[in-house]
C-alpha cells in the first residue's frame, strides 16, 4: 500500500468497480463504431480516458508495480489523445499530470510521444510555464502561437525558486490545500476516493534534479515514480 488514508480492501473494491465501468464503456464504443456514430465514439474515448486515469490512481494507491502502472498510463493517454480535438477544452490539471508522468517514464517515451504530440497540437492557449517545460524536455514540437493564460502558481514558484529543496518541501506541505478547487478535493470522505498524489510535481523534480529526500515519506509525494529509472542506471 502507498496510500495512508484508506485500506487495501477499499481500493480492491474501487478497482473492481472501475474495471466494470471500463468494460461497459468498451461495449458502447464498439456499438458506436458499428453504427459509425462519431459522437458516441468521442464520448466513449473521453469516458475511457477518465476511467483509466482513475484506475491509474487506484493502482498507485494500492501499491501496484510501476511497470503495470505504465500500461495503465498508456491506455489513459491514448484514449485522451483521441478524445480531444481542436477548440475543445482541456483541463490543465489533467494535462500536467499526463505530461509530468510522461517525464517519469521517459525511457519509454518513443511508445507514447505521438499521443502527447497530438494533445500539444490541439491544446488551447493556456499552456502554463511548467507544462511548456515538460513539452520541451520530452522533445515534442511546441504549438506555435499558443501563450499561457493560466498557470499553476505553486508549480511556477517551485520552477523559479533559488532554494528548490526548501521550495519543494513547502510545496508538498501545502499541496493538498493548494488544490482546494479541484473536483477530487475532499473525496477521502466519500466512496469515490482514488488517492491524493502530486503527480504534477514529479516532472519538475526530475527535470530540475531536486534532492527530494526531504519529502520522500510525504503521504502525497510519489517518490518511487520520480525515481522509476534510478535502478536501471
Amino acid at each position: 500500500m502507498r496510500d495512508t488514508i484508506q485500506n487495501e480492501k477499499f481500493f480492491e473494491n474501487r478497482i473492481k468497480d472501475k474495471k466494470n465501468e471500463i468494460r461497459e464503456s468498451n461495449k458502447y464504443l464498439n456499438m458506436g463504431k458499428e453504427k459509425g456514430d462519431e459522437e458516441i465514439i468521442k464520448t466513449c474515448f473521453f469516458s475511457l480516458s477518465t476511467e483509466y486515469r482513475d484506475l491509474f490512481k487506484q493502482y498507485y494507491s494500492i501499491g501496484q508495480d510501476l511497470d503495470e502502472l505504465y500500461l495503465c498510463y498508456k491506455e489513459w493517454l491514448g484514449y485522451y489523445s483521441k478524445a480531444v480535438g481542436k477548440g475543445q477544452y482541456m483541463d490543465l490539471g489533467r494535462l500536467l499530470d499526463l505530461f509530468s508522468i510522461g517525464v517519469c517514464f521517459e525511457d519509454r517515451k518513443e511508445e507514447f510521444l505521438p499521443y502527447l504530440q497530438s494533445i500539444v497540437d490541439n491544446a488551447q492557449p493556456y499552456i502554463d510555464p511548467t507544462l511548456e517545460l515538460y513539452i520541451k524536455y520530452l522533445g515534442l514540437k511546441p504549438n506555435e502561437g499558443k501563450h499561457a493564460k493560466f498557470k499553476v502558481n505553486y508549480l511556477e514558484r517551485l520552477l523559479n525558486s533559488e532554494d528548490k529543496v526548501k521550495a519543494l518541501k513547502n510545496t508538498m506541505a501545502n499541496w493538498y490545500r493548494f488544490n482546494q478547487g479541484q473536483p477530487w478535493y475532499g473525496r477521502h470522505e466519500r466512496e469515490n476516493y482514488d488517492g491524493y498524489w502530486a503527480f504534477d510535481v514529479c516532472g519538475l523534480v526530475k527535470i530540475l534534479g531536486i534532492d527530494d529526500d526531504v519529502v520522500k515519506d510525504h503521504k502525497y509525494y510519489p517518490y518511487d515514480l520520480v525515481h522509476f529509472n534510478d535502478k536501471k542506471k
Side-chain angles (χ1 to χ4, degrees), residues 1-4 11 15 52-70 72 76 101 104-105 193-199 202 215-216 218-228:
M1 286 290 295
R2 296 185 181 96
D3 186 83
T4 59
F11 283 108
I15 289 168
Y52 273 107
R53 177 200 64 187
D54 295 345
L55 188 62
F56 183 93
K57 292 180 179 179
Q58 293 159 14
Y59 274 163
Y60 191 83
S61 295
I62 204 170
Q64 183 70 280
D65 181 81
L66 287 172
D67 286 306
E68 292 298 319
L69 272 161
Y70 171 71
C72 190
W76 168 17
I101 294 169
C104 294
F105 286 133
Y193 171 68
D194 295 322
Y196 299 140
W197 299 106
F199 293 128
C202 290
V215 294
K216 181 177 180 178
H218 192 284
K219 63 180 180 179
Y220 303 145
Y221 185 69
Y223 181 87
D224 57 345
L225 180 60
V226 177
H227 295 273
F228 174 63

Side-chain angles (χ1 to χ4, degrees), residues 178-190:
F178 288 154
N179 283 281
Q180 190 168 358
Q182 293 295 328
W184 49 259
Y185 186 89
R187 280 191 180 176
H188 61 283
E189 300 174 353
R190 305 194 296 274

Side-chain angles (χ1 to χ4, degrees), residues 24-37 40-41 44:
E24 288 301 310
S25 292
N26 273 311
K27 287 180 184 178
Y28 283 114
L29 176 59
N30 290 332
M31 181 183 72
K33 288 179 177 179
E34 289 173 2
K35 292 182 176 181
D37 191 320
I40 291 178
I41 293 172
C44 289

Side-chain angles (χ1 to χ4, degrees), residues 156-205:
E156 187 179 34
R157 285 195 295 269
L158 177 58
L159 177 61
N160 296 324
S161 64
E162 292 186 7
D163 188 339
K164 287 185 167 46
V165 173
K166 181 179 179 180
L168 175 61
K169 189 175 181 180
N170 179 70
T171 297
M172 290 313 307
N174 296 282
W175 180 82
Y176 180 69
R177 180 176 61 82
F178 288 154
N179 283 281
Q180 190 168 358
Q182 293 295 328
W184 49 259
Y185 186 89
R187 280 191 180 176
H188 61 283
E189 300 174 353
R190 305 194 296 274
E191 293 181 358
N192 61 347
Y193 171 68
D194 295 322
Y196 299 140
W197 299 106
F199 293 128
D200 55 348
V201 177
C202 290
L204 272 182
V205 173

Side-chain angles (χ1 to χ4, degrees), residues 92-137:
L92 180 57
R94 188 181 299 227
L95 292 178
L96 284 164
D97 281 352
L98 277 170
F99 281 78
S100 182
I101 294 169
V103 170
C104 294
F105 286 133
E106 68 170 319
D107 68 319
R108 306 179 183 186
K109 67 180 183 179
E110 298 307 321
E111 299 176 18
F112 58 79
L113 279 185
Y115 296 139
L116 289 177
Q117 186 63 63
S118 175
I119 293 171
V120 172
D121 292 342
N122 290 315
Q124 292 295 294
Y126 53 60
I127 297 177
D128 87 324
T130 302
L131 189 55
E132 288 178 340
L133 177 64
Y134 293 162
I135 289 169
K136 292 176 182 177
Y137 180 83

